[in-house]
Amino acid sequence: MEIPYTINARPDTGLYNAKLGIWLFLASEVMLFGGLFSAYILLRVSQPPGGWPHGWLDVRLGTVNTLLLALSAITTLLAWAACKVREFGKFKFFHGCTILLALTFLGIKSYEYHDKWIHYEIQLTNGKIDDGHLIEKSADFDLAKKTGTVTLHGREVDNHVELMDLRSPAAQSAKLDEMTIAAADIKKMENYGPRHNTFTAIYFTLTGLHALHIFGGTLVIFYFWGPGSKLYKTDPERFTNRIEVSGLFWHFVDLVWIFLFPVLYLT
Amino acid sequence: METTVQQFPPFREGAAHHGHDDHGHGEHHEPNFWQKYIFSTDHKVIGIQYGFMALCFMLFGFFLMLLMRWQIAHPQMPVPFFGPILEKILGQPAAGGAISPELYNSFGAMHGTIMVFLGVVPLAFAAFGNYVVPLMIGAPDMTFPRINMASFHAFFLGGIVMLVSFFIPGGAAQAGWTSYSPLATTIPTNGQAFWLVGMVLLITSSLLGAVNFIATIIQLRAPGMTWMRLPWFVWAQFVTAFILLLAFPPLEAAGVLQLMDNVAGTSFFLPTGLAVGGQLADRSGGGSPLLWQHLFWFLGHPEVYVLILPAMGIVIEVIANNTRKPIWGYKSLVYSVLGVGFLSFIVWAHHMYLTGMGQKIATFFQATTMMISVPSVIILTCMFLSLWGGAIRINTPMLFALGFLPMFGIGGLTGLPLGLAACDLYLHDTYYIIAHFHYVVAPGTIFALFAGVYFWFPKMTGRKMNEFWGRVHFWCSFAFMNIVFMPMFVQGIKGMLRRMSDGGINYSAARVPNAIDALPGTAMQMNGVILWAAICLGIAQIPFIINLFWSISHGEKVGTNPWRATTLDWQTPTPPPHGNFAHEPHVTHGPYEYSMPGAAEDFTPQDAPADKTATAHKPAH
Amino acid sequence: MSEQPVSLNSYIRLCAVVFVVVLCTTASMIATSYAHIGTSNDWTLKVAIILAIAVVNAFLVAGYLMHLLSEKKLVYTVLIFTVFFFIGLVGLTMWAMHDFPPGTASH
């Protein structure tokens, strides 16, 4: 059974079906990420002054990721262009690059997540706060039983507020040392995971959902690069359309990052 | 009604060079049971799958309501007959066969969720839309048949998740179908998380469906099927699909955020200083409960138009067909439905008048809410005016369509005091609201959906449903619907709040005789009347259910166009084969060319050969 | 498909230009973020500038890489409505959360 306009465009709209379909889907994705961004804006704006952290994310890693994705958007476009001019070898090369760039992005993201996971804020019984990355926990470390010690690489502050703006001169010039803390002195110990505050919550949610989209997109592109590429031999035009449609999805994912990066890393 | 796969197809697109379609090169192959009924990509099968599942869910949701009405009328008394069964299945929450407040709350939340997301939307949009829209526009199927199948299965999975949640420790979601934070996060049950996961699946299903519908209507209209020749049912489904496409995702986002609150300990919607059970909650705080409400109602309001527009579409089709004349005001109907769709996105905070909003913003939303009533009334007016001068033919679909008109009128008009902020301050969260929205959806939308079932049944099966029992179904449903819901307006105005598991008895004059605004005895007695009417309403559905199944094999056999209708869906064989049309239709007439002067019959199908006489194809406007 | 096959080289040229511009915009966003604007550490102005640059960036990706600039009217009509509704969502919600009757403000 033939459904019309799967490959050739319908004259009055100028579109083939899948192209219209993907743009409609992307419109819904704009509203999805838009909903999350609106949550971000509202949460941030309703914080009291000094309540929103700055500088908690590594700008260098974020910049590298931004450039990786931008480059992958370009290789995606070129992969499609190669299909259009029927240069299969170049298509394979460009989309191979796309996949590698995507995997590198995900690798860097995982590293960043891990960094937050081992970053602890420990409130001590004497009112001070120790903040830093975990080096080791002693074998008998047990918070409930109050035994053992934990060693952090970080600093000690008097007030939680000092931990909020890592771009401030005070934070920039702070010295980081190794500190060993006894479990008996710990009032509360929490890592910089989603529950730590609303910034980490929205950070993990936004970048997590984005990463899922990257992962899904990579799977689709890998499928077309690998097993799905045999359609090129039998129906190159239809295959090219698939590359175009999946490419549009990939470009959208890059678009989201274009806003995520400044919003989370630079402000 | 065997639908055998037809031998090679209807029409191909232009050039001959493409070629390898899904079924191979022009050979028969008979799909097995799984491919034909469970994993079918045919829009008609998918439509029926959706329809069947939706009707089952609606029946289940109705049953939940009956249990709630029992509890309201007889607080804490064991439910007759079903009490012991409930206790056996659910244990402690139904101890002694009575419905505990927690169980009542879960029934309330799930009744709403199931009726809206598993019942009405899948039936009105997905079932009728899937079956009828491709036929009406002259298409062989939807643009993306496999995505269509995926969307059904996502819906099915979502339904399973929702049903399973009844059986987990702590029970199903209990924070209302609106799932407001912080309650939705602090209730000690995983039912809320199940609800959120179920919602994500259902939203995914709707989004995939919406993409399919829009692409299909834009791309697959047969030659000659211009936008202004589309049956209005298709316009209604088109706008509905757009609403789903753009309004659902923010709720999906909010759902993810609330799921994070429930499962990962975040505080997106939890304010600083939240105390639970008298103790400060171990949460970072800094969140906003109002944020959830905004994101929820951003979908929540357009959702109600999703509930009503396909139903209005069905009513228009049935009225045109049974008055034997063109619909009055086709152009107005088209512009109105576009207007409703657009405005529906900017009225949502009229559900939030009591959240402490300032005057300016409340006035903004009040203004847009008043504005949206204009195109809605235009649509209803066109429906009424279409009856004027018509050769009205009474049959079961027409009875339900006619019944829709005053019922939707009542529902819509009672919405006006709610849209006005000052008045809503009193009426919010009372039974007035429950009466208002049930009038629009229950004797409103659901009546239209019944009309649709009786109307399109002959196209699906080649037989008509029994007319006598159809009328019994209609008159009994009509009577009992009104007895169930009309008293609720009165109860609401007298101050009875919604979601009270004891039916308001603790606020009644009997219990607190000196209280100024205690609920009077008359309001309390209505609970008993409503319970009986609800039971009778349930009994009135039995003839429908029996009629539906019995008529599949024993109904009066009819031809391909028993209603003598003009639209393309009635110009196909019955049931339509895979690919729908033997030859690509060429549309030359408008959608409602009934009783055209100079025509041979009292109806002119849309793909009839073009008539030379000027009057015969003058479009109705 | 509606487009004529063009040479791969013209696409490569286009991409090189876009990539260089993206490099520049990214650099300028980072610079703005670290710059000292005004006397106090006022983030509002910085955020506005950075977001404006991000919009330019997005425009490049959407316009050229997704060829939205040469796309059919239907597509960008859908997107314009989408953007309108998104602005409605954020704008009206922000307005609602900041408009209080006098004397009832939360924070």
Side-chain angles (χ1 to χ4, degrees):
Chain A
M1 180 190 81
E2 290 300 333
I3 294 171
Y5 312 121
T6 49
I7 301 170
N8 300 313
R10 181 181 159 110
D12 61 351
T13 59
L15 297 165
Y16 58 94
N17 297 339
K19 192 161 202 196
L20 177 60
I22 194 72
W23 276 113
L24 290 170
F25 177 66
L26 292 182
S28 82
E29 291 267 89
V30 167
M31 296 306 286
L32 177 69
F33 280 99
L36 289 177
F37 271 106
S38 76
Y40 172 88
I41 295 171
L42 287 150
L43 288 171
R44 178 165 173 168
V45 159
S46 50
Q47 290 301 321
W52 195 259
H54 298 285
W56 279 14
L57 299 172
D58 190 333
V59 174
R60 297 163 305 182
L61 289 178
T63 309
V64 168
N65 265 352
T66 305
L67 297 175
L68 286 177
L69 269 192
L71 198 55
S72 77
I74 281 164
T75 56
T76 301
L77 179 67
L78 292 174
W80 168 75
C83 280
K84 270 240 78 105
V85 298
R86 306 286 189 259
E87 294 198 45
F88 190 69
K90 294 221 170 83
F91 154 75
K92 279 283 214 185
F93 167 71
F94 284 124
H95 251 351
C97 289
T98 307
I99 295 168
L100 287 174
L101 290 164
L103 291 174
T104 313
F105 177 93
L106 287 175
I108 295 179
K109 205 82 216 95
S110 313
Y111 173 78
E112 287 180 283
Y113 274 18
H114 174 75
D115 178 88
K116 287 273 159 297
W117 220 251
I118 58 168
H119 186 168
Y120 282 91
E121 179 185 314
I122 299 181
Q123 289 173 10
L124 302 174
T125 48
N126 65 11
K128 289 195 192 286
I129 303 175
D130 285 340
D131 181 279
H133 289 83
L134 183 70
I135 296 185
E136 67 165 1
K137 292 182 186 172
S138 66
D140 60 341
F141 180 73
D142 188 320
L143 203 56
K145 294 194 203 133
K146 302 220 176 286
T147 57
T149 60
V150 62
T151 310
L152 294 184
H153 179 253
R155 58 184 175 131
E156 185 167 281
V157 295
D158 295 317
N159 198 312
H160 180 77
V161 172
E162 294 175 62
L163 296 172
M164 295 302 274
D165 190 351
L166 292 188
R167 302 261 222 116
S168 65
Q172 293 282 316
S173 55
K175 258 176 39 90
L176 300 178
D177 279 321
E178 222 174 81
M179 310 175 293
T180 303
I181 307 149
D185 297 329
I186 297 178
K187 193 169 83 171
K188 181 176 171 184
M189 178 172 169
E190 192 173 73
N191 67 0
Y192 278 55
R195 63 174 301 152
H196 187 63
N197 72 6
T198 38
F199 173 80
T200 54
I202 197 74
Y203 163 74
F204 276 103
T205 309
L206 267 171
T207 55
L209 193 63
H210 178 257
L212 277 176
H213 280 75
I214 295 256
F215 183 67
T218 309
L219 276 178
V220 168
I221 291 178
F222 175 75
Y223 171 77
F224 286 135
W225 181 82
S229 65
K230 57 181 189 286
L231 182 65
Y232 180 84
K233 292 188 199 65
T234 49
D235 197 340
E237 191 59 26
R238 194 162 172 195
F239 181 74
T240 307
N241 287 350
R242 289 185 172 185
I243 299 303
E244 181 176 21
V245 163
S246 52
L248 283 171
F249 178 79
W250 190 258
H251 287 131
F252 175 76
V253 177
D254 179 35
L255 259 180
V256 173
W257 182 259
I258 284 172
F259 286 100
L260 274 185
F261 170 63
V263 155
L264 292 171
Y265 288 76
L266 298 183
T267 59
Chain B
M1 41 157 202
E2 269 293 310
T3 38
T4 52
V5 173
Q6 216 194 22
Q7 166 127 63
F8 256 52
F11 52 94
R12 290 178 183 277
E13 61 166 337
H17 75 277
H18 61 258
H20 303 267
D21 55 28
D22 310 16
H23 290 243
H25 316 269
E27 284 167 26
H28 268 307
H29 78 271
E30 196 61 32
N32 60 38
F33 171 84
W34 291 97
Q35 287 173 315
K36 215 159 45 155
Y37 295 114
I38 311 295
F39 292 104
S40 171
T41 55
D42 185 302
H43 70 100
K44 300 181 288 296
V45 175
I46 293 174
I48 292 175
Q49 286 174 322
Y50 266 114
F52 178 71
M53 288 305 312
L55 287 169
C56 288
F57 279 121
M58 271 170 59
L59 197 60
F60 179 66
F62 188 90
F63 181 65
L64 291 180
M65 173 275 292
L66 283 179
L67 292 171
M68 291 199 298
R69 290 311 316 182
W70 167 268
Q71 164 71 350
I72 290 168
H74 305 285
Q76 291 314 311
M77 286 181 56
V79 183
F81 185 69
F82 291 105
I85 303 174
L86 280 177
E87 189 173 11
K88 207 163 191 168
I89 303 175
L90 299 172
Q92 171 59 29
I99 299 172
S100 62
E102 294 76 27
L103 192 60
Y104 176 92
N105 290 340
S106 72
F107 284 174
M110 297 309 283
H111 166 80
T113 305
I114 288 172
M115 286 306 216
V116 172
F117 295 109
L118 293 174
V120 176
V121 173
L123 185 55
F125 176 71
F128 281 111
N130 258 308
Y131 196 96
V132 175
V133 167
L135 295 175
M136 268 187 175
I137 63 174
D141 203 312
M142 289 282 198
T143 36
F144 309 117
R146 281 173 298 186
I147 291 184
N148 210 6
M149 177 182 74
S151 103
F152 172 74
H153 286 105
F155 157 74
F156 184 76
L157 272 176
I160 298 283
V161 169
M162 290 288 187
L163 290 180
V164 162
S165 72
F166 278 104
F167 301 105
I168 62 171
Q174 290 160 38
W177 82 287
T178 50
S179 192
Y180 279 10
S181 288
L183 182 65
T185 301
T186 50
I187 289 183
T189 173
N190 285 325
Q192 297 294 138
F194 272 72
W195 186 88
L196 289 164
V197 170
M199 285 305 294
V200 168
L201 285 166
L202 294 176
I203 294 174
T204 303
S205 161
S206 285
L207 286 177
L208 293 176
V211 169
N212 231 335
F213 272 66
I214 298 172
T216 301
I217 294 172
I218 292 178
Q219 296 281 105
L220 298 190
R221 283 166 296 131
M225 180 62 85
T226 60
W227 285 99
M228 294 312 251
R229 280 187 181 153
L230 280 174
W232 196 77
F233 177 77
V234 179
W235 273 108
Q237 293 282 9
F238 183 66
V239 173
T240 305
F242 258 113
I243 292 177
L244 288 171
L245 186 76
L246 298 178
F248 250 137
L251 177 61
E252 188 161 30
V256 168
L257 295 177
Q258 197 179 75
L259 194 60
M260 292 285 286
D261 275 4
N262 284 13
V263 168
T266 53
S267 301
F268 288 112
F269 305 121
L270 305 179
T272 311
L274 178 71
V276 180
Q279 285 194 317
L280 208 59
D282 180 22
R283 300 280 190 149
S284 70
S288 168
L290 278 183
L291 178 60
W292 165 265
Q293 292 191 29
H294 282 291
L295 290 172
F296 178 86
W297 286 113
F298 184 82
L299 164 85
H301 191 81
E303 177 68 21
V304 314
Y305 293 99
V306 170
L307 297 176
I308 196 66
L309 289 179
M312 286 173 156
I314 296 175
V315 169
I316 290 279
E317 297 304 315
V318 171
I319 285 182
N321 179 253
N322 287 299
T323 51
R324 314 309 293 170
K325 63 187 271 286
I327 286 291
W328 197 96
Y330 177 84
K331 258 205 193 140
S332 313
L333 281 167
V334 169
Y335 291 126
S336 295
V337 75
L338 290 170
V340 165
F342 178 79
L343 284 172
S344 70
F345 282 91
I346 50 176
V347 299
W348 80 85
H350 65 231
H351 298 270
M352 296 169 61
Y353 283 137
L354 265 74
T355 57
M357 292 193 294
Q359 261 188 328
K360 293 195 257 314
I361 184 78
T363 308
F364 172 83
F365 280 110
Q366 177 179 273
T368 51
T369 304
M370 288 299 117
M371 275 160 57
I372 203 173
S373 66
V374 172
S376 314
V377 170
I378 290 177
I379 294 173
L380 193 64
T381 307
C382 288
M383 289 175 178
F384 271 111
L385 285 173
S386 297
L387 300 173
W388 186 265
I392 298 183
R393 202 169 59 175
I394 299 291
N395 45 45
T396 306
M398 187 58 165
L399 279 175
F400 276 106
L402 289 174
F404 170 88
L405 298 177
M407 298 293 98
F408 177 72
I410 293 175
L413 288 173
T414 53
L416 290 173
L418 300 175
L420 294 166
C423 198
D424 185 62
L425 290 181
Y426 178 75
L427 293 171
H428 180 71
D429 254 4
T430 63
Y431 261 80
Y432 186 95
I433 304 260
I434 296 190
H436 155 71
F437 69 69
H438 277 98
Y439 255 96
V440 224
V441 183
T445 295
I446 295 182
F447 271 20
L449 298 180
F450 283 141
V453 172
Y454 285 99
F455 187 66
W456 275 296
F457 189 88
K459 179 48 61 181
M460 297 179 192
T461 61
R463 296 173 188 265
K464 271 192 186 172
M465 287 175 72
N466 182 283
E467 182 65 20
F468 172 75
W469 288 108
R471 296 190 188 208
V472 167
H473 176 217
F474 169 74
W475 287 109
C476 292
S477 298
F478 186 82
F480 293 122
M481 282 278 197
N482 279 286
I483 302 175
V484 168
F485 293 114
M486 189 58 76
M488 291 187 190
F489 284 120
V490 177
Q491 289 181 318
I493 291 175
K494 290 197 187 289
M496 182 181 279
L497 293 179
R498 59 189 287 201
R499 294 181 172 143
M500 291 194 295
S501 67
D502 64 357
I505 197 164
N506 283 316
Y507 297 92
S508 66
R511 287 276 172 93
V512 281
N514 298 320
I516 296 172
D517 280 329
L519 294 169
T522 45
M524 301 307 297
Q525 276 155 22
M526 285 174 184
N527 285 334
V529 172
I530 294 172
L531 171 64
W532 276 111
I535 293 172
C536 292
L537 180 62
I539 295 173
Q541 306 312 306
I542 295 175
F544 170 69
I545 299 171
I546 298 176
N547 195 354
L548 186 66
F549 287 106
W550 182 88
S551 301
I552 293 176
S553 43
H554 294 92
E556 173 204 339
K557 274 198 186 172
V558 291
T560 58
N561 192 357
W563 306 116
R564 296 166 60 78
T566 54
T567 45
L568 288 180
D569 49 325
W570 293 100
Q571 317 311 325
T572 61
T574 294
H578 201 47
N580 297 337
F581 296 90
H583 307 282
E584 186 183 42
H586 284 262
V587 173
T588 47
H589 293 271
Y592 306 118
E593 295 204 358
Y594 291 99
S595 305
M596 290 284 110
E601 308 252 358
D602 78 334
F603 75 104
T604 310
Q606 285 199 267
D607 61 345
D611 205 309
K612 300 291 191 296
T613 61
T615 47
H617 59 84
K618 179 174 156 190
H621 61 94
Chain C
M1 251 325 287
S2 43
E3 293 173 39
Q4 310 291 6
V6 227
S7 83
L8 198 52
N9 285 329
S10 67
Y11 272 110
I12 294 180
R13 261 193 305 266
L14 171 72
C15 287
V17 168
V18 168
F19 188 66
V20 166
V21 178
V22 165
L23 273 175
C24 297
T25 51
T26 308
S28 57
M29 279 197 286
I30 298 172
T32 311
S33 169
Y34 282 99
H36 283 288
I37 296 186
T39 47
S40 64
N41 196 14
D42 181 18
W43 276 101
T44 318
L45 182 62
K46 276 203 218 179
V47 167
I49 298 175
I50 290 172
L51 277 180
I53 303 174
V55 167
V56 168
N57 221 337
F59 180 76
L60 282 171
V61 169
Y64 292 103
L65 299 186
M66 296 171 97
H67 23 265
L68 194 53
L69 284 178
S70 49
E71 194 48 88
K72 301 291 170 287
K73 188 167 131 185
L74 172 61
V75 170
Y76 56 78
T77 310
V78 170
L79 291 176
I80 287 171
F81 275 108
T82 308
V83 168
F84 177 81
F85 291 134
F86 170 65
I87 293 173
L89 171 63
V90 179
L92 289 172
T93 307
M94 287 202 63
W95 185 15
M97 288 174 78
H98 289 88
D99 183 17
F100 300 105
T104 65
S106 55
H107 52 67

